[in-house]
Amino acid sequence: MARDYYKTLGVEPEASQESIKKAYRRMAFRYHPDRNPEDPEAAEKFKAASEAYDVLGDEEKRRIYDRYGEEGLKGAGRHDFRSADDIFETFSDIFGGGGIFGDFFGRNSNSGNRRKGRSLRVNVEVSLEDVETGSQKNITLKKKDICTDCDGEGAAPGTEPATCSYCRGYGQVEQRQGFFAMRTTCPRCGGKGTIIKSPCTVCGGEGLVNKKSEVQVEVPVGVESGTRLKMPGKGEPDPETGVRGDLYCDITVKEHPLFLRRGPDLVCNLPLPYSLAALGGTAEVPTLNSDSVEADVPKGTRNGDVLRLKGLGMPDMRTGKKGDLLIKTFIEVPQKLTRRQEELLRELSEIEGTHISPEREGFLNKLKEYVKTH
Ligand SMILES: [Zn+2]
Ligand SMILES: [Zn+2]
């Protein structure tokens, strides 16, 4: 489908280069991604306006477009914009220093783009107790920061970065191939537009130095191991633009000596004496972050039976609703007996010899069957 670039920019076909530039400035300002975050419609309009300006803002491409339409532009060095950064980079040199984006958004006058610094990733270990209540963790990380000696410029104090003579400070160079012009990043200054003759001795000209810094991480209630938290703007700055990358915190929940997390529930193994399991009663059960509670042990509790204590589990990350505490019983056989215990158990044993329990009765029946058939 043929697109009308004049309509896209809202200008007449006779419009001067100056008014085309103005129209694009206006649209770029209105639909700029910084002002319309997560608005796909604005992003589309920003891209469409940029594509239109790529053609109409260039007298040669415009001439071809006027004569042959969009078809004629094939191979005419049009930009294929894949991201907003592509757009900033492409038009930064057309407007030179302090161009359309520099004016509005305080971008660096040489690059005009939004280059961000490096993003970082750290592992953050938290305890199960931290997760139940949510907490703040201070982590120390080594990251690069703007060199205060040269303010990130990379030039030794008292000296200035010199304008690159190859690209005359534009950071890009134009290569003519017959009729058409192509722009590429300046090979001498790497697109910076400047050359540092005497580098800052502290940062070696990089503009960044290693620093230790402390970051406070908010541990969300109910967070699970493997969750990645994004902290925007907590990464390293770009020395030119000052725009910081992000910090990604990968959460690991440490193993707890008493509790195992199973979805929203906590599981705790609780040893019980045989007599308590048989007679029933109460057992003291530990909880996370608060005092222990008394749990009812029903008469006849078997080894491995699970007692459920409602609402004493973990909060859900999204709803905050708490799971349960599951007490898995473990009937302990005593390894050492007092004389009195032994007396009682022997007495019990005699009774068990005459009164056969249901499980044992079942077993004995199976054994009889087995002996008969073999
Ligand atoms: Zn250069
Ligand atoms: Zn420095």
Side-chain angles (χ1 to χ4, degrees):
M1 199 181 73
R3 280 171 289 188
D4 188 335
Y5 290 138
Y6 291 100
K7 256 192 198 152
T8 303
L9 287 182
V11 292
E12 296 298 319
E14 306 76 42
S16 66
Q17 283 303 108
E18 199 48 47
S19 47
I20 286 172
K21 194 164 163 178
K22 263 191 198 153
Y24 178 58
R25 268 176 80 109
R26 218 167 32 235
M27 296 200 73
F29 183 55
R30 188 180 312 152
Y31 299 118
H32 195 282
D34 280 0
R35 305 182 76 222
N36 304 278
E38 282 157 42
D39 180 351
E41 208 176 307
E44 245 345 282
K45 285 190 170 145
F46 183 64
K47 187 170 179 249
S50 302
E51 277 167 357
Y53 182 69
D54 177 43
V55 173
L56 301 186
D58 182 302
E59 279 183 71
E60 265 168 29
K61 286 187 215 167
R62 185 182 176 186
R63 226 178 355 252
I64 297 168
Y65 177 69
D66 286 347
R67 279 182 76 174
Y68 307 107
E70 217 188 323
E71 275 296 291
L73 291 163
K74 279 183 182 153
R78 274 173 71 189
H79 285 96
D80 174 21
F81 297 121
R82 271 149 305 177
S83 68
D85 283 327
D86 267 1
I87 295 171
F88 302 136
E89 214 153 297
T90 306
F91 295 139
S92 67
D93 79 309
I94 293 179
F95 295 97
I100 47 172
F101 305 114
D103 287 353
F104 293 141
F105 304 102
R107 293 229 155 84
N108 182 284
S109 58
N110 281 328
S111 60
N113 64 22
R114 316 190 301 150
R115 202 168 56 226
K116 255 189 184 180
R118 213 156 62 95
S119 288
L120 303 173
R121 198 192 64 77
V122 284
N123 286 320
V124 180
E125 265 203 331
V126 298
S127 67
L128 208 53
E129 284 90 345
D130 289 338
V131 174
E132 201 213 5
T133 53
S135 69
Q136 289 174 333
K137 275 253 167 296
N138 289 323
I139 51 166
T140 310
L141 63 137
K142 263 197 218 159
K143 66 177 179 185
K144 290 192 170 179
D145 226 318
I146 298 286
C147 171
T148 47
D149 281 64
C150 64
D151 289 326
E153 289 221 299
T159 72
E160 291 278 326
T163 302
C164 172
S165 56
Y166 195 73
C167 63
R168 302 192 312 282
Y170 286 127
Q172 296 199 332
V173 284
E174 212 172 65
Q175 281 176 336
R176 295 208 161 257
Q177 287 186 340
F179 197 64
F180 306 113
M182 304 259 279
R183 292 188 186 84
T184 55
T185 301
C186 171
R188 187 156 314 163
C189 64
K192 281 186 164 177
T194 52
I195 301 256
I196 293 165
K197 294 235 166 82
S198 33
C200 165
T201 51
V202 177
C203 63
E206 199 192 345
L208 297 173
V209 284
N210 280 317
K211 270 182 197 161
K212 263 191 189 168
S213 63
E214 197 154 279
V215 180
Q216 201 172 56
V217 182
E218 289 286 334
V219 179
V221 170
V223 73
E224 280 162 25
S225 263
T227 303
R228 175 168 282 189
L229 305 175
K230 182 182 179 183
M231 299 179 71
K234 296 284 183 192
E236 292 179 353
D238 179 277
E240 268 182 70
T241 62
V243 179
R244 285 174 181 274
D246 306 319
L247 177 65
Y248 294 95
C249 302
D250 286 338
I251 300 286
T252 307
V253 183
K254 277 184 279 190
E255 258 183 49
H256 195 280
L258 289 178
F259 300 104
L260 184 76
R261 194 177 186 184
R262 212 168 61 192
D265 299 329
L266 287 177
V267 181
C268 175
N269 286 319
L270 183 73
L272 286 181
Y274 167 76
S275 53
L276 175 60
L279 299 169
T282 55
E284 200 178 317
V285 170
T287 64
L288 203 61
N289 280 323
S290 49
D291 297 337
S292 52
V293 293
E294 297 259 289
D296 281 328
V297 180
K299 194 174 175 176
T301 294
R302 282 162 306 184
N303 188 53
D305 274 359
V306 174
L307 314 174
R308 183 178 287 267
L309 299 177
K310 287 244 173 252
L312 290 177
M314 296 300 286
D316 182 274
M317 192 155 69
R318 280 153 285 271
T319 62
K321 194 174 172 279
K322 278 193 163 190
D324 303 332
L325 174 58
L326 306 178
I327 305 294
K328 198 170 171 199
T329 60
F330 165 67
I331 312 294
E332 201 174 10
V333 176
Q335 303 295 300
K336 262 188 185 169
L337 298 170
T338 63
R339 185 175 292 174
R340 178 75 182 131
Q341 276 176 317
E342 193 168 338
E343 272 172 25
L344 289 171
L345 282 171
R346 285 202 182 283
E347 207 173 309
L348 180 65
S349 171
E350 271 169 39
I351 301 167
E352 282 176 342
T354 48
H355 290 264
I356 296 170
S357 64
E359 281 286 328
R360 188 154 169 79
E361 189 175 8
F363 172 74
L364 289 176
N365 284 341
K366 271 187 206 152
L367 185 64
K368 252 187 247 165
E369 282 298 307
Y370 179 77
V371 173
K372 251 194 257 168
T373 53
H374 285 79

